[in-house]
Amino acid sequence: MSKVLLVHAKGGPPLGHVLSRTAARAEVHLLALSALPPSVAGAVRGLCATVETPAAPRRADLVSLIVSRARAVGADAVLTFSEYAVVAVADACEVLGLAGAGGAARLARDKRLMRRTWREHGLPQPLFRPVATEEELHRAARELPGPLLLKAAWSAGSTAHQIIRAPHEVSAAWRRSRDVMAESARLGFSELHVESADADFVVEQIVTGTAGDWFDEPGWGDYVSVEGVVAGGTFHPVCLSARMPTVEPFTERAGITPAPLPPDAQERVVELARAAVDALGLRDCGIHTEIKLGAGGEMWLIETAARFGGAMTVPQIEEVFGLDLVGMLVDHLLGRSARWPDRALTAAQARGAAGSLVVLAVDGRGRAWPDRRTWDFPRVAADVPLSRSSELSVVAESSLPDGCPVPVYDPAAGANTMAALCLLSAADARTVLRDFETLVDALPRVLPAARTEEVSV
């Protein structure tokens, strides 16, 4: 039986989903660089031939660690679904001579290199500057048209984002972004392989998006993501996911599959995603490309990742289109045949729709809740009136246990301040959107108030 070394770190699809699909295709050996979620720890032992939990390796030694473990178990493929381990796994596959994203994985991880590559290929994106010091940020703020968005070059989940609207905000934004990156590293949400990752930033123009020219109804966010895979250097789009509007600065609240775009609009979005992926030169990996939608059909590239979309994007695709993307990628990496869609699938091929909602302590307008609340999914399931055919569940391994206080939303920390991740299945994408709007409005009302002693812990 073929053997796969699965490198686990924080982020990406739920480990339970990934592990069960991988184990159905091969003997799994798990290299856990992050602690296993308690809700799946028992299942992990039953699905894996071995589980290795090394002491925290130095970043410079991570590739050697992966290579050594792969050789020890005789792995025929090595893969990860975590943004933070993508580069290390790609480098390890190069050493081992195994299929992987290739050396270009760094271009799909470091936002500075990504934007530079797209600029060289003449692709539409916001104006930008790489910055490594506060002085460079001040200079960029004078040169670029505002408002601006400061991002950590190696971040994920909208962490360390700071909007700069005026020159006097530069210094505070720089300090806050650096502090958040340091805190994210402490929590395990940071690049695992690059020594200088916490100090690398990019600042870019905030382009004006509009959903109204793209969707037939209000309520949608002004960007979409193209989900797919690169196999043997060829990009295969699978489908598009839509979004609710982000929470300031640009924290994602919900992703919904499929995106209800008209066919001609979807084709244009897919072609831009194809150009972006082709420019990066990736070889064998999942793909997640985000694209901003503007007035009059204008589009801008936000970013491409050399892995599948995080949160519940992969399970949503499996539910809606019947495609096991994890299993298909494992088959491809092992040299087996994997039949990818001939073109990006649409609502016409979907069996209903599915979406995942990040629970944040802000209302539908992005305003902070007036008081602290305690997370209680049974109360939510019982008291929030959703559509008759909709089914709501909670992703345990990505959520706080019931009874924990919901964190105060921190705009700079982004998804680091989430309380839970919920999955909703419905008849169509519009129903998912409306149910999520209902859920967001209801949460501060139906969740129990947090006790003083809970908040102070």
mmCIF file of all heavy atoms in Angstrom, residues 76-81 86 89-91 93-94 97-105 108 228-236 277 280-288 305-308 325 328-336 338 340:
data_model
loop_
_atom_site.group_PDB
_atom_site.id
_atom_site.type_symbol
_atom_site.label_atom_id
_atom_site.label_comp_id
_atom_site.label_asym_id
_atom_site.label_seq_id
_atom_site.Cartn_x
_atom_site.Cartn_y
_atom_site.Cartn_z
ATOM 1 N N ASP A 76 5.681 7.758 -0.133
ATOM 2 C CA ASP A 76 5.594 7.916 -1.587
ATOM 3 C C ASP A 76 5.089 9.302 -1.963
ATOM 4 O O ASP A 76 5.144 9.689 -3.132
ATOM 5 C CB ASP A 76 4.647 6.863 -2.167
ATOM 6 C CG ASP A 76 5.092 5.442 -1.833
ATOM 7 O OD1 ASP A 76 6.156 5.046 -2.336
ATOM 8 O OD2 ASP A 76 4.382 4.756 -1.066
ATOM 9 N N ALA A 77 4.568 10.020 -1.002
ATOM 10 C CA ALA A 77 4.106 11.395 -1.213
ATOM 11 C C ALA A 77 4.150 12.126 0.122
ATOM 12 O O ALA A 77 3.984 11.509 1.181
ATOM 13 C CB ALA A 77 2.690 11.424 -1.783
ATOM 14 N N VAL A 78 4.403 13.420 0.055
ATOM 15 C CA VAL A 78 4.396 14.278 1.238
ATOM 16 C C VAL A 78 3.504 15.471 0.918
ATOM 17 O O VAL A 78 3.642 16.091 -0.141
ATOM 18 C CB VAL A 78 5.810 14.775 1.605
ATOM 19 C CG1 VAL A 78 5.750 15.676 2.834
ATOM 20 C CG2 VAL A 78 6.751 13.607 1.830
ATOM 21 N N LEU A 79 2.578 15.784 1.819
ATOM 22 C CA LEU A 79 1.701 16.927 1.559
ATOM 23 C C LEU A 79 1.275 17.593 2.857
ATOM 24 O O LEU A 79 1.390 17.024 3.942
ATOM 25 C CB LEU A 79 0.469 16.515 0.750
ATOM 26 C CG LEU A 79 -0.642 15.725 1.451
ATOM 27 C CD1 LEU A 79 -1.927 15.814 0.637
ATOM 28 C CD2 LEU A 79 -0.254 14.272 1.626
ATOM 29 N N THR A 80 0.796 18.825 2.704
ATOM 30 C CA THR A 80 0.251 19.580 3.827
ATOM 31 C C THR A 80 -0.917 20.391 3.312
ATOM 32 O O THR A 80 -1.010 20.690 2.113
ATOM 33 C CB THR A 80 1.296 20.507 4.461
ATOM 34 O OG1 THR A 80 0.754 21.087 5.648
ATOM 35 C CG2 THR A 80 1.713 21.625 3.514
ATOM 36 N N PHE A 81 -1.812 20.749 4.213
ATOM 37 C CA PHE A 81 -2.934 21.610 3.859
ATOM 38 C C PHE A 81 -2.881 22.909 4.644
ATOM 39 O O PHE A 81 -3.822 23.693 4.610
ATOM 40 C CB PHE A 81 -4.256 20.876 4.107
ATOM 41 C CG PHE A 81 -4.421 19.667 3.232
ATOM 42 C CD1 PHE A 81 -3.984 18.427 3.653
ATOM 43 C CD2 PHE A 81 -4.985 19.773 1.967
ATOM 44 C CE1 PHE A 81 -4.115 17.303 2.839
ATOM 45 C CE2 PHE A 81 -5.115 18.665 1.147
ATOM 46 C CZ PHE A 81 -4.676 17.425 1.574
ATOM 47 N N VAL A 86 3.459 25.158 3.824
ATOM 48 C CA VAL A 86 3.497 24.937 2.371
ATOM 49 C C VAL A 86 4.917 24.998 1.818
ATOM 50 O O VAL A 86 5.343 24.126 1.039
ATOM 51 C CB VAL A 86 2.586 25.962 1.655
ATOM 52 C CG1 VAL A 86 2.946 26.056 0.172
ATOM 53 C CG2 VAL A 86 1.123 25.573 1.802
ATOM 54 N N VAL A 89 7.206 22.021 3.027
ATOM 55 C CA VAL A 89 6.852 20.752 2.381
ATOM 56 C C VAL A 89 7.267 20.762 0.916
ATOM 57 O O VAL A 89 7.778 19.751 0.404
ATOM 58 C CB VAL A 89 5.341 20.482 2.535
ATOM 59 C CG1 VAL A 89 4.894 19.337 1.618
ATOM 60 C CG2 VAL A 89 5.008 20.142 3.989
ATOM 61 N N ALA A 90 7.075 21.883 0.234
ATOM 62 C CA ALA A 90 7.502 21.963 -1.167
ATOM 63 C C ALA A 90 9.010 21.765 -1.291
ATOM 64 O O ALA A 90 9.485 21.037 -2.175
ATOM 65 C CB ALA A 90 7.092 23.307 -1.759
ATOM 66 N N ASP A 91 9.783 22.389 -0.399
ATOM 67 C CA ASP A 91 11.243 22.232 -0.428
ATOM 68 C C ASP A 91 11.642 20.791 -0.112
ATOM 69 O O ASP A 91 12.568 20.238 -0.720
ATOM 70 C CB ASP A 91 11.890 23.183 0.576
ATOM 71 C CG ASP A 91 11.844 24.635 0.131
ATOM 72 O OD1 ASP A 91 11.439 24.888 -1.028
ATOM 73 O OD2 ASP A 91 12.197 25.513 0.936
ATOM 74 N N CYS A 93 9.860 18.088 -0.698
ATOM 75 C CA CYS A 93 9.542 17.262 -1.868
ATOM 76 C C CYS A 93 10.605 17.398 -2.951
ATOM 77 O O CYS A 93 10.918 16.425 -3.655
ATOM 78 C CB CYS A 93 8.164 17.638 -2.418
ATOM 79 S SG CYS A 93 6.777 17.100 -1.393
ATOM 80 N N GLU A 94 11.170 18.594 -3.091
ATOM 81 C CA GLU A 94 12.250 18.787 -4.051
ATOM 82 C C GLU A 94 13.457 17.926 -3.684
ATOM 83 O O GLU A 94 14.077 17.286 -4.538
ATOM 84 C CB GLU A 94 12.656 20.260 -4.099
ATOM 85 C CG GLU A 94 11.610 21.185 -4.682
ATOM 86 C CD GLU A 94 11.473 21.034 -6.181
ATOM 87 O OE1 GLU A 94 12.239 21.655 -6.929
ATOM 88 O OE2 GLU A 94 10.591 20.249 -6.600
ATOM 89 N N GLY A 97 12.616 14.252 -4.339
ATOM 90 C CA GLY A 97 12.268 13.889 -5.714
ATOM 91 C C GLY A 97 10.814 13.486 -5.860
ATOM 92 O O GLY A 97 10.457 12.705 -6.759
ATOM 93 N N LEU A 98 9.932 14.022 -5.006
ATOM 94 C CA LEU A 98 8.508 13.694 -5.043
ATOM 95 C C LEU A 98 7.706 14.837 -5.646
ATOM 96 O O LEU A 98 8.150 15.994 -5.662
ATOM 97 C CB LEU A 98 7.995 13.402 -3.624
ATOM 98 C CG LEU A 98 8.658 12.243 -2.885
ATOM 99 C CD1 LEU A 98 8.102 12.141 -1.465
ATOM 100 C CD2 LEU A 98 8.438 10.932 -3.635
ATOM 101 N N ALA A 99 6.529 14.520 -6.135
ATOM 102 C CA ALA A 99 5.648 15.540 -6.696
ATOM 103 C C ALA A 99 5.267 16.548 -5.618
ATOM 104 O O ALA A 99 4.987 16.182 -4.473
ATOM 105 C CB ALA A 99 4.388 14.893 -7.269
ATOM 106 N N GLY A 100 5.238 17.822 -5.993
ATOM 107 C CA GLY A 100 4.893 18.878 -5.045
ATOM 108 C C GLY A 100 4.757 20.202 -5.765
ATOM 109 O O GLY A 100 4.866 20.267 -6.995
ATOM 110 N N ALA A 101 4.538 21.249 -4.997
ATOM 111 C CA ALA A 101 4.331 22.569 -5.598
ATOM 112 C C ALA A 101 5.563 23.085 -6.316
ATOM 113 O O ALA A 101 5.470 23.890 -7.244
ATOM 114 C CB ALA A 101 3.909 23.565 -4.521
ATOM 115 N N GLY A 102 6.747 22.638 -5.897
ATOM 116 C CA GLY A 102 7.985 23.074 -6.526
ATOM 117 C C GLY A 102 8.539 24.329 -5.879
ATOM 118 O O GLY A 102 7.962 24.896 -4.942
ATOM 119 N N GLY A 103 9.656 24.783 -6.401
ATOM 120 C CA GLY A 103 10.313 25.960 -5.854
ATOM 121 C C GLY A 103 9.464 27.214 -5.911
ATOM 122 O O GLY A 103 9.687 28.159 -5.160
ATOM 123 N N ALA A 104 8.473 27.225 -6.805
ATOM 124 C CA ALA A 104 7.606 28.399 -6.937
ATOM 125 C C ALA A 104 6.650 28.551 -5.763
ATOM 126 O O ALA A 104 5.942 29.565 -5.677
ATOM 127 C CB ALA A 104 6.813 28.313 -8.236
ATOM 128 N N ALA A 105 6.601 27.582 -4.853
ATOM 129 C CA ALA A 105 5.710 27.698 -3.705
ATOM 130 C C ALA A 105 5.971 28.982 -2.932
ATOM 131 O O ALA A 105 5.049 29.596 -2.380
ATOM 132 C CB ALA A 105 5.874 26.489 -2.783
ATOM 133 N N ALA A 108 3.986 31.878 -4.083
ATOM 134 C CA ALA A 108 2.581 31.842 -3.703
ATOM 135 C C ALA A 108 2.396 31.975 -2.194
ATOM 136 O O ALA A 108 1.290 31.800 -1.696
ATOM 137 C CB ALA A 108 1.948 30.536 -4.182
ATOM 138 N N GLY A 228 -9.190 25.287 -7.010
ATOM 139 C CA GLY A 228 -8.736 24.395 -8.062
ATOM 140 C C GLY A 228 -7.481 23.651 -7.678
ATOM 141 O O GLY A 228 -7.155 23.502 -6.497
ATOM 142 N N VAL A 229 -6.756 23.182 -8.677
ATOM 143 C CA VAL A 229 -5.545 22.401 -8.473
ATOM 144 C C VAL A 229 -4.607 22.644 -9.645
ATOM 145 O O VAL A 229 -5.058 22.981 -10.753
ATOM 146 C CB VAL A 229 -5.880 20.893 -8.345
ATOM 147 C CG1 VAL A 229 -6.346 20.323 -9.679
ATOM 148 C CG2 VAL A 229 -4.708 20.092 -7.806
ATOM 149 N N VAL A 230 -3.321 22.526 -9.391
ATOM 150 C CA VAL A 230 -2.335 22.469 -10.472
ATOM 151 C C VAL A 230 -1.812 21.039 -10.508
ATOM 152 O O VAL A 230 -1.332 20.517 -9.498
ATOM 153 C CB VAL A 230 -1.170 23.451 -10.239
ATOM 154 C CG1 VAL A 230 -0.086 23.250 -11.290
ATOM 155 C CG2 VAL A 230 -1.667 24.879 -10.286
ATOM 156 N N ALA A 231 -1.929 20.396 -11.641
ATOM 157 C CA ALA A 231 -1.476 19.017 -11.806
ATOM 158 C C ALA A 231 -0.531 18.954 -12.990
ATOM 159 O O ALA A 231 -0.923 19.251 -14.123
ATOM 160 C CB ALA A 231 -2.668 18.083 -12.035
ATOM 161 N N GLY A 232 0.730 18.614 -12.718
ATOM 162 C CA GLY A 232 1.719 18.592 -13.779
ATOM 163 C C GLY A 232 1.915 19.940 -14.425
ATOM 164 O O GLY A 232 2.216 20.033 -15.624
ATOM 165 N N GLY A 233 1.745 21.020 -13.646
ATOM 166 C CA GLY A 233 1.925 22.367 -14.173
ATOM 167 C C GLY A 233 0.716 22.947 -14.858
ATOM 168 O O GLY A 233 0.750 24.104 -15.294
ATOM 169 N N THR A 234 -0.378 22.191 -14.966
ATOM 170 C CA THR A 234 -1.590 22.663 -15.632
ATOM 171 C C THR A 234 -2.655 23.009 -14.605
ATOM 172 O O THR A 234 -2.967 22.198 -13.729
ATOM 173 C CB THR A 234 -2.134 21.589 -16.595
ATOM 174 O OG1 THR A 234 -1.154 21.310 -17.599
ATOM 175 C CG2 THR A 234 -3.413 22.072 -17.270
ATOM 176 N N PHE A 235 -3.210 24.202 -14.719
ATOM 177 C CA PHE A 235 -4.229 24.665 -13.787
ATOM 178 C C PHE A 235 -5.588 24.096 -14.162
ATOM 179 O O PHE A 235 -6.026 24.181 -15.305
ATOM 180 C CB PHE A 235 -4.285 26.184 -13.807
ATOM 181 C CG PHE A 235 -5.413 26.775 -13.009
ATOM 182 C CD1 PHE A 235 -5.569 26.461 -11.665
ATOM 183 C CD2 PHE A 235 -6.311 27.655 -13.594
ATOM 184 C CE1 PHE A 235 -6.610 27.009 -10.914
ATOM 185 C CE2 PHE A 235 -7.341 28.213 -12.866
ATOM 186 C CZ PHE A 235 -7.497 27.891 -11.522
ATOM 187 N N HIS A 236 -6.259 23.504 -13.169
ATOM 188 C CA HIS A 236 -7.604 22.968 -13.351
ATOM 189 C C HIS A 236 -8.545 23.672 -12.370
ATOM 190 O O HIS A 236 -8.540 23.374 -11.173
ATOM 191 C CB HIS A 236 -7.639 21.460 -13.082
ATOM 192 C CG HIS A 236 -6.768 20.656 -13.993
ATOM 193 N ND1 HIS A 236 -7.191 20.204 -15.227
ATOM 194 C CD2 HIS A 236 -5.485 20.223 -13.845
ATOM 195 C CE1 HIS A 236 -6.215 19.516 -15.804
ATOM 196 N NE2 HIS A 236 -5.174 19.530 -14.985
ATOM 197 N N VAL A 277 -2.133 31.993 -11.746
ATOM 198 C CA VAL A 277 -1.489 30.732 -11.362
ATOM 199 C C VAL A 277 -0.380 30.378 -12.344
ATOM 200 O O VAL A 277 0.721 29.966 -11.939
ATOM 201 C CB VAL A 277 -2.548 29.601 -11.289
ATOM 202 C CG1 VAL A 277 -1.873 28.250 -11.040
ATOM 203 C CG2 VAL A 277 -3.561 29.895 -10.189
ATOM 204 N N LEU A 280 2.880 32.169 -11.731
ATOM 205 C CA LEU A 280 3.666 31.729 -10.581
ATOM 206 C C LEU A 280 4.476 30.466 -10.864
ATOM 207 O O LEU A 280 5.478 30.206 -10.197
ATOM 208 C CB LEU A 280 2.742 31.498 -9.374
ATOM 209 C CG LEU A 280 2.015 32.751 -8.859
ATOM 210 C CD1 LEU A 280 1.057 32.380 -7.736
ATOM 211 C CD2 LEU A 280 3.003 33.809 -8.398
ATOM 212 N N GLY A 281 4.046 29.642 -11.820
ATOM 213 C CA GLY A 281 4.834 28.473 -12.214
ATOM 214 C C GLY A 281 4.772 27.312 -11.237
ATOM 215 O O GLY A 281 5.744 26.550 -11.112
ATOM 216 N N LEU A 282 3.644 27.125 -10.557
ATOM 217 C CA LEU A 282 3.481 26.005 -9.628
ATOM 218 C C LEU A 282 3.340 24.694 -10.388
ATOM 219 O O LEU A 282 2.953 24.670 -11.557
ATOM 220 C CB LEU A 282 2.259 26.243 -8.741
ATOM 221 C CG LEU A 282 2.350 27.502 -7.869
ATOM 222 C CD1 LEU A 282 0.970 27.902 -7.359
ATOM 223 C CD2 LEU A 282 3.303 27.263 -6.715
ATOM 224 N N ARG A 283 3.617 23.566 -9.708
ATOM 225 C CA ARG A 283 3.612 22.258 -10.392
ATOM 226 C C ARG A 283 2.483 21.341 -9.962
ATOM 227 O O ARG A 283 1.660 20.939 -10.781
ATOM 228 C CB ARG A 283 4.959 21.568 -10.177
ATOM 229 C CG ARG A 283 6.100 22.155 -10.977
ATOM 230 C CD ARG A 283 7.146 21.100 -11.305
ATOM 231 N NE ARG A 283 7.546 20.318 -10.146
ATOM 232 C CZ ARG A 283 8.617 20.545 -9.401
ATOM 233 N NH1 ARG A 283 9.396 21.568 -9.692
ATOM 234 N NH2 ARG A 283 8.930 19.767 -8.383
ATOM 235 N N ASP A 284 2.444 20.919 -8.699
ATOM 236 C CA ASP A 284 1.456 19.945 -8.243
ATOM 237 C C ASP A 284 0.979 20.335 -6.845
ATOM 238 O O ASP A 284 1.672 20.086 -5.851
ATOM 239 C CB ASP A 284 2.062 18.531 -8.204
ATOM 240 C CG ASP A 284 2.486 18.044 -9.581
ATOM 241 O OD1 ASP A 284 1.594 17.712 -10.382
ATOM 242 O OD2 ASP A 284 3.704 18.011 -9.845
ATOM 243 N N CYS A 285 -0.226 20.937 -6.757
ATOM 244 C CA CYS A 285 -0.728 21.390 -5.462
ATOM 245 C C CYS A 285 -2.155 21.885 -5.612
ATOM 246 O O CYS A 285 -2.642 22.137 -6.715
ATOM 247 C CB CYS A 285 0.147 22.521 -4.903
ATOM 248 S SG CYS A 285 0.243 23.976 -5.972
ATOM 249 N N GLY A 286 -2.841 22.023 -4.479
ATOM 250 C CA GLY A 286 -4.120 22.695 -4.477
ATOM 251 C C GLY A 286 -3.928 24.169 -4.753
ATOM 252 O O GLY A 286 -2.823 24.710 -4.598
ATOM 253 N N ILE A 287 -5.010 24.850 -5.164
ATOM 254 C CA ILE A 287 -4.932 26.272 -5.509
ATOM 255 C C ILE A 287 -6.151 27.003 -4.950
ATOM 256 O O ILE A 287 -7.278 26.510 -5.040
ATOM 257 C CB ILE A 287 -4.877 26.473 -7.040
ATOM 258 C CG1 ILE A 287 -3.531 26.043 -7.592
ATOM 259 C CG2 ILE A 287 -5.153 27.929 -7.416
ATOM 260 C CD1 ILE A 287 -2.374 26.931 -7.189
ATOM 261 N N HIS A 288 -5.885 28.170 -4.409
ATOM 262 C CA HIS A 288 -6.951 29.043 -3.904
ATOM 263 C C HIS A 288 -6.574 30.466 -4.296
ATOM 264 O O HIS A 288 -5.591 31.014 -3.787
ATOM 265 C CB HIS A 288 -7.049 28.894 -2.382
ATOM 266 C CG HIS A 288 -7.982 29.857 -1.709
ATOM 267 N ND1 HIS A 288 -9.352 29.699 -1.725
ATOM 268 C CD2 HIS A 288 -7.740 30.991 -0.996
ATOM 269 C CE1 HIS A 288 -9.908 30.678 -1.041
ATOM 270 N NE2 HIS A 288 -8.956 31.482 -0.588
ATOM 271 N N ALA A 305 -2.813 31.081 -3.240
ATOM 272 C CA ALA A 305 -2.150 30.182 -2.294
ATOM 273 C C ALA A 305 -1.930 28.827 -2.952
ATOM 274 O O ALA A 305 -2.781 28.358 -3.709
ATOM 275 C CB ALA A 305 -2.983 30.012 -1.028
ATOM 276 N N ALA A 306 -0.788 28.204 -2.653
ATOM 277 C CA ALA A 306 -0.458 26.895 -3.226
ATOM 278 C C ALA A 306 -1.015 25.785 -2.330
ATOM 279 O O ALA A 306 -0.318 24.850 -1.943
ATOM 280 C CB ALA A 306 1.053 26.749 -3.381
ATOM 281 N N ARG A 307 -2.298 25.912 -2.011
ATOM 282 C CA ARG A 307 -3.011 24.914 -1.203
ATOM 283 C C ARG A 307 -4.503 25.183 -1.381
ATOM 284 O O ARG A 307 -4.909 26.229 -1.885
ATOM 285 C CB ARG A 307 -2.602 24.976 0.269
ATOM 286 C CG ARG A 307 -2.484 26.365 0.863
ATOM 287 C CD ARG A 307 -3.776 26.936 1.364
ATOM 288 N NE ARG A 307 -3.649 28.269 1.896
ATOM 289 C CZ ARG A 307 -4.694 29.081 2.104
ATOM 290 N NH1 ARG A 307 -5.910 28.700 1.782
ATOM 291 N NH2 ARG A 307 -4.510 30.289 2.593
ATOM 292 N N PHE A 308 -5.317 24.230 -0.947
ATOM 293 C CA PHE A 308 -6.755 24.423 -1.028
ATOM 294 C C PHE A 308 -7.204 25.504 -0.056
ATOM 295 O O PHE A 308 -6.507 25.824 0.915
ATOM 296 C CB PHE A 308 -7.492 23.118 -0.707
ATOM 297 C CG PHE A 308 -7.304 22.036 -1.734
ATOM 298 C CD1 PHE A 308 -6.983 20.746 -1.345
ATOM 299 C CD2 PHE A 308 -7.473 22.301 -3.082
ATOM 300 C CE1 PHE A 308 -6.823 19.737 -2.276
ATOM 301 C CE2 PHE A 308 -7.302 21.305 -4.031
ATOM 302 C CZ PHE A 308 -6.981 20.017 -3.634
ATOM 303 N N LEU A 325 -11.721 16.519 -3.025
ATOM 304 C CA LEU A 325 -10.489 17.144 -3.506
ATOM 305 C C LEU A 325 -9.257 16.606 -2.803
ATOM 306 O O LEU A 325 -8.198 16.458 -3.424
ATOM 307 C CB LEU A 325 -10.559 18.665 -3.320
ATOM 308 C CG LEU A 325 -11.574 19.432 -4.169
ATOM 309 C CD1 LEU A 325 -11.383 20.927 -3.981
ATOM 310 C CD2 LEU A 325 -11.450 19.067 -5.639
ATOM 311 N N MET A 328 -8.495 13.196 -4.306
ATOM 312 C CA MET A 328 -8.042 13.341 -5.689
ATOM 313 C C MET A 328 -6.606 13.845 -5.739
ATOM 314 O O MET A 328 -5.799 13.379 -6.554
ATOM 315 C CB MET A 328 -8.986 14.283 -6.443
ATOM 316 C CG MET A 328 -10.400 13.726 -6.615
ATOM 317 S SD MET A 328 -11.594 14.983 -7.140
ATOM 318 C CE MET A 328 -11.058 15.266 -8.833
ATOM 319 N N LEU A 329 -6.268 14.800 -4.858
ATOM 320 C CA LEU A 329 -4.889 15.295 -4.841
ATOM 321 C C LEU A 329 -3.926 14.208 -4.377
ATOM 322 O O LEU A 329 -2.825 14.069 -4.935
ATOM 323 C CB LEU A 329 -4.786 16.521 -3.929
ATOM 324 C CG LEU A 329 -3.393 17.133 -3.803
ATOM 325 C CD1 LEU A 329 -2.870 17.595 -5.155
ATOM 326 C CD2 LEU A 329 -3.390 18.297 -2.805
ATOM 327 N N VAL A 330 -4.318 13.438 -3.375
ATOM 328 C CA VAL A 330 -3.473 12.326 -2.916
ATOM 329 C C VAL A 330 -3.229 11.357 -4.061
ATOM 330 O O VAL A 330 -2.089 10.924 -4.305
ATOM 331 C CB VAL A 330 -4.117 11.609 -1.714
ATOM 332 C CG1 VAL A 330 -3.378 10.319 -1.403
ATOM 333 C CG2 VAL A 330 -4.123 12.526 -0.490
ATOM 334 N N ASP A 331 -4.275 10.998 -4.796
ATOM 335 C CA ASP A 331 -4.111 10.101 -5.942
ATOM 336 C C ASP A 331 -3.121 10.674 -6.944
ATOM 337 O O ASP A 331 -2.231 9.960 -7.452
ATOM 338 C CB ASP A 331 -5.465 9.873 -6.630
ATOM 339 C CG ASP A 331 -6.312 8.832 -5.922
ATOM 340 O OD1 ASP A 331 -5.765 8.048 -5.126
ATOM 341 O OD2 ASP A 331 -7.539 8.795 -6.166
ATOM 342 N N HIS A 332 -3.272 11.960 -7.242
ATOM 343 C CA HIS A 332 -2.368 12.572 -8.227
ATOM 344 C C HIS A 332 -0.918 12.546 -7.748
ATOM 345 O O HIS A 332 -0.010 12.193 -8.524
ATOM 346 C CB HIS A 332 -2.795 14.005 -8.506
ATOM 347 C CG HIS A 332 -1.832 14.748 -9.367
ATOM 348 N ND1 HIS A 332 -1.716 14.506 -10.729
ATOM 349 C CD2 HIS A 332 -0.906 15.705 -9.072
ATOM 350 C CE1 HIS A 332 -0.769 15.275 -11.230
ATOM 351 N NE2 HIS A 332 -0.264 16.014 -10.248
ATOM 352 N N LEU A 333 -0.689 12.901 -6.488
ATOM 353 C CA LEU A 333 0.679 12.922 -5.969
ATOM 354 C C LEU A 333 1.298 11.531 -5.947
ATOM 355 O O LEU A 333 2.524 11.388 -6.034
ATOM 356 C CB LEU A 333 0.702 13.528 -4.568
ATOM 357 C CG LEU A 333 0.308 15.009 -4.467
ATOM 358 C CD1 LEU A 333 0.304 15.461 -3.012
ATOM 359 C CD2 LEU A 333 1.235 15.893 -5.294
ATOM 360 N N LEU A 334 0.459 10.509 -5.849
ATOM 361 C CA LEU A 334 0.941 9.126 -5.855
ATOM 362 C C LEU A 334 1.078 8.564 -7.272
ATOM 363 O O LEU A 334 1.422 7.396 -7.447
ATOM 364 C CB LEU A 334 0.003 8.239 -5.037
ATOM 365 C CG LEU A 334 0.018 8.490 -3.521
ATOM 366 C CD1 LEU A 334 -1.096 7.682 -2.855
ATOM 367 C CD2 LEU A 334 1.378 8.119 -2.927
ATOM 368 N N GLY A 335 0.804 9.376 -8.281
ATOM 369 C CA GLY A 335 0.957 8.948 -9.664
ATOM 370 C C GLY A 335 -0.246 8.233 -10.233
ATOM 371 O O GLY A 335 -0.186 7.663 -11.326
ATOM 372 N N ARG A 336 -1.367 8.273 -9.520
ATOM 373 C CA ARG A 336 -2.595 7.653 -10.016
ATOM 374 C C ARG A 336 -3.392 8.666 -10.830
ATOM 375 O O ARG A 336 -3.135 9.860 -10.802
ATOM 376 C CB ARG A 336 -3.445 7.161 -8.835
ATOM 377 C CG ARG A 336 -2.743 6.195 -7.895
ATOM 378 C CD ARG A 336 -3.582 5.983 -6.656
ATOM 379 N NE ARG A 336 -2.891 5.181 -5.641
ATOM 380 C CZ ARG A 336 -3.224 5.171 -4.356
ATOM 381 N NH1 ARG A 336 -4.235 5.934 -3.938
ATOM 382 N NH2 ARG A 336 -2.556 4.418 -3.491
ATOM 383 N N ALA A 338 -6.395 11.045 -11.620
ATOM 384 C CA ALA A 338 -7.399 11.847 -10.913
ATOM 385 C C ALA A 338 -8.134 12.678 -11.963
ATOM 386 O O ALA A 338 -7.512 13.434 -12.711
ATOM 387 C CB ALA A 338 -6.738 12.753 -9.882
ATOM 388 N N TRP A 340 -10.075 15.614 -12.966
ATOM 389 C CA TRP A 340 -10.490 16.952 -12.578
ATOM 390 C C TRP A 340 -11.572 17.449 -13.538
ATOM 391 O O TRP A 340 -11.637 17.021 -14.696
ATOM 392 C CB TRP A 340 -9.296 17.895 -12.598
ATOM 393 C CG TRP A 340 -8.157 17.401 -11.767
ATOM 394 C CD1 TRP A 340 -7.013 16.797 -12.203
ATOM 395 C CD2 TRP A 340 -8.075 17.402 -10.336
ATOM 396 N NE1 TRP A 340 -6.224 16.448 -11.143
ATOM 397 C CE2 TRP A 340 -6.849 16.803 -9.979
ATOM 398 C CE3 TRP A 340 -8.921 17.866 -9.322
ATOM 399 C CZ2 TRP A 340 -6.446 16.652 -8.662
ATOM 400 C CZ3 TRP A 340 -8.522 17.726 -8.011
ATOM 401 C CH2 TRP A 340 -7.302 17.120 -7.684
#
